[in-house]
Amino acid sequence: MDKIKSLAIKYKNILQNFSYLTILQVFNLFFPVIIYPFFIDLFGLDLWGKIVLAQSLAFFLAIFVDFGYDRYATKEISIHRNNFKKLSEISSCVILIRVVLGIIVFNLFAIVVYNAPFFKGDEVLYLVSFFVNFNFILFPKWFFLGMERMKYIVLINVSVKVLFVILMYVFIKDKSDYLLVPLFFGLGAFVGGLIGIKMLFSFKGISFKIYPFKMYYHYIKSSYLLFASALVISIKDRFNIFIVGYFLGMQEVAIYDIGMKLVSLIMQPIESVNGAIFPKVAKELNMDFVKVKWDNEVLSQRFASIVTQRDSLQNK
């Protein structure tokens, strides 16, 4: 018992961060329970499946906007958390790169949507659904993870989703209001992103600056391997829903999405542990912490891979 107490005191910060992330994951699990019955009853499976497919495509495009920074920038912030000049550099570069990537991806997506027969008649739905990516363009989740301030992630995300639920029940009354669903999601992501940026630059000593082009190129070059890895994983894990929508239909998309939500329940505890421990491991490269204190072979192998990845990035 004394050993457990001493470990709890020693790793208090990690346990707190794990608790915050767990609260967020639990909220995210119950969020569909609140909105899905309402939307399926109001819109029907066919229209709801169409909305789900548009959102899934938007989340897939988020890979190009994120560009691996949810991992790379988290690691860099964790390592340099006491160097405010470096924190300003990382934050300024990552935010501006993501904004530029967001603009480029949206314009390319718009060209495809207005020219591909598959999107005909639903162009506005797919373009408005893209606005959910404000969560990746603006919200500095990577900063709060690196600084181990997970409570800000929880507070902002929960507040935004509560706002969405309120707007949903007030303004969405029948099928003709279906475009309000992605619009409210996008509005919530935009507001949450602005709040996150304001909180980031409210940290004493951190400010937004414009740097020479070579600095932005450095951050793009440093994260492109993580982007490539995330892209391959995303194609493998998310492309199924597009196959279902193209060959089977939108009702099947809605049913498939519900099934995937249930399957994701299994992964939630692992993701919370991963998010809580990653900043410490990235900063200290202390594999004994993972192997001995957490005594989990799977986690040990995963974080060993992270360390190896970090070394390869630094040596380039």
Side-chain angles (χ1 to χ4, degrees), residues 20-79:
Y20 284 124
L21 292 177
T22 300
I23 291 171
L24 180 61
Q25 297 292 0
V26 170
F27 183 84
N28 286 338
L29 291 177
F30 281 100
F31 184 66
V33 174
I34 298 172
I35 67 171
Y36 270 44
F38 174 81
F39 284 138
I40 291 175
D41 181 61
L42 183 64
F43 298 138
L45 281 175
D46 192 62
L47 181 54
W48 178 242
K50 191 176 292 187
I51 295 171
V52 167
L53 186 62
Q55 289 179 333
S56 297
L57 181 55
F59 282 121
F60 174 77
L61 294 175
I63 299 296
F64 297 89
V65 177
D66 173 54
F67 209 76
Y69 289 117
D70 263 1
R71 277 288 175 260
Y72 176 75
T74 298
K75 173 181 70 67
E76 291 296 299
I77 292 293
S78 180
I79 293 171

Side-chain angles (χ1 to χ4, degrees), residues 8-245:
I9 294 172
K10 184 176 181 180
Y11 299 113
K12 178 182 177 182
N13 196 37
I14 289 177
L15 291 174
Q16 285 181 339
N17 291 331
F18 173 77
S19 299
Y20 284 124
L21 292 177
T22 300
I23 291 171
L24 180 61
Q25 297 292 0
V26 170
F27 183 84
N28 286 338
L29 291 177
F30 281 100
F31 184 66
V33 174
I34 298 172
I35 67 171
Y36 270 44
F38 174 81
F39 284 138
I40 291 175
D41 181 61
L42 183 64
F43 298 138
L45 281 175
D46 192 62
L47 181 54
W48 178 242
K50 191 176 292 187
I51 295 171
V52 167
L53 186 62
Q55 289 179 333
S56 297
L57 181 55
F59 282 121
F60 174 77
L61 294 175
I63 299 296
F64 297 89
V65 177
D66 173 54
F67 209 76
Y69 289 117
D70 263 1
R71 277 288 175 260
Y72 176 75
T74 298
K75 173 181 70 67
E76 291 296 299
I77 292 293
S78 180
I79 293 171
H80 302 288
R81 67 178 63 182
N82 296 318
N83 184 340
F84 295 108
K85 181 179 179 180
K86 188 68 175 179
L87 290 178
S88 296
E89 174 192 303
I90 298 167
S91 301
S92 299
C93 289
V94 171
I95 289 173
L96 187 56
I97 289 172
R98 277 187 161 187
V99 169
V100 173
L101 286 174
I103 294 172
I104 293 173
V105 173
F106 177 77
N107 281 279
L108 293 175
F109 181 50
I111 293 172
V112 173
V113 166
Y114 280 109
N115 288 277
F118 179 78
F119 302 104
K120 189 172 180 60
D122 296 311
E123 294 89 348
V124 177
L125 171 62
Y126 281 92
L127 292 180
V128 174
S129 295
F130 182 84
F131 295 158
V132 73
N133 285 320
F134 278 123
N135 189 50
F136 296 92
I137 295 170
L138 298 177
F139 186 65
K141 177 183 176 182
W142 40 270
F143 178 83
F144 299 123
L145 283 173
M147 296 292 288
E148 297 187 69
R149 304 292 180 89
M150 280 64 163
K151 65 179 179 180
Y152 295 116
I153 299 174
V154 176
L155 290 173
I156 294 174
N157 275 273
V158 170
S159 300
V160 164
K161 289 185 176 180
V162 169
L163 173 64
F164 171 81
V165 172
I166 294 172
L167 292 174
M168 177 187 74
Y169 281 109
V170 171
F171 292 100
I172 301 178
K173 302 297 183 181
D174 54 50
K175 283 189 175 182
S176 63
D177 298 325
Y178 73 97
L179 287 176
L180 292 179
V181 176
L183 183 63
F184 288 159
F185 268 120
L187 177 63
F190 180 74
V191 172
L194 291 182
I195 294 173
I197 288 179
K198 185 178 186 332
M199 294 180 70
L200 187 164
F201 290 112
S202 67
F203 278 75
K204 186 177 180 180
I206 303 178
S207 59
F208 181 81
K209 298 179 181 179
I210 299 296
Y211 293 88
F213 175 78
K214 64 179 182 181
M215 187 68 71
Y216 299 100
Y217 177 74
H218 163 74
Y219 283 99
I220 292 173
K221 183 180 178 182
S222 299
S223 64
Y224 84 93
L225 287 178
L226 290 172
F227 157 70
S229 174
L231 179 61
V232 171
I233 294 172
S234 183
I235 291 174
K236 177 179 70 70
D237 291 344
R238 299 185 183 182
F239 207 70
N240 292 342
I241 196 168
F242 305 119
I243 297 175
V244 171

